[in-house]
């Protein structure tokens, strides 16, 4: 019987111990996998690819529109919702060309 139904809490303690064991086992094995990837040099991408953007270097295209417009749904009418575009200013101080 559980602690909330008049038990002594041994079932709750067993469940907490099980959760701690699973958490520890996962951290140990994932930590080992990441250490191996770091030693092999496959954990990070090269600096040039990171600067260019992974969507361009790995997928061959940009994830964002190139004309600084974001598609927005017209919120006036739900039935006749038509995608419209708004222009946003870049938050960065430098322009990046792809």
């Amino acid at each position: 019987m559980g602690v909330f139904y008049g038990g002594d809490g041994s079932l709750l303690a067993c469940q907490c111990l099980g959760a701690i064991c699973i958490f520890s086992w996962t951290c140990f094995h994932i930590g080992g996998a990441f250490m191996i990837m770091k030693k092999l040099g496959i954990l990070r991408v090269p600096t040039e690819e990171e600067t260019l953007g992974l969507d361009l270097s790995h997928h061959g295209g940009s994830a964002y529109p190139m004309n600084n417009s974001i598609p927005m749904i017209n919120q006036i009418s739900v039935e006749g919702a038509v995608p419209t575009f708004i222009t946003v200013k870049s938050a960065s101080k430098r322009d990046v060309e792809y």
Side-chain angles (χ1 to χ4, degrees):
M1 200 159 35
V3 70
F4 298 116
Y5 293 104
D8 61 353
S10 61
L11 184 60
L12 180 64
C14 185
Q15 293 294 322
C16 289
L17 178 63
I20 291 170
C21 288
I22 291 170
F23 179 78
S24 301
W25 183 88
T26 303
C27 287
F28 175 78
H29 286 88
I30 292 298
F34 274 106
M35 284 176 47
I36 291 170
M37 286 190 293
K38 185 176 180 179
K39 294 288 183 191
L40 293 175
I42 58 174
L43 188 60
R44 298 211 33 141
V45 297
T47 307
E48 297 82 24
E49 288 186 25
E50 189 174 2
T51 304
L52 177 64
L54 293 179
D55 51 348
L56 286 174
S57 65
H58 285 186
H59 305 295
S62 178
Y64 304 102
M66 298 305 290
N67 60 359
N68 287 335
S69 296
I70 298 175
M72 299 292 285
I73 298 297
N74 187 355
Q75 297 179 4
I76 296 173
S77 168
V78 175
E79 290 127 9
V82 177
T84 57
F85 291 89
I86 61 170
T87 303
V88 293
K89 298 289 183 189
S90 177
S92 67
K93 297 195 185 255
R94 61 186 170 92
D95 292 329
V96 178
E97 292 184 30
Y98 296 102

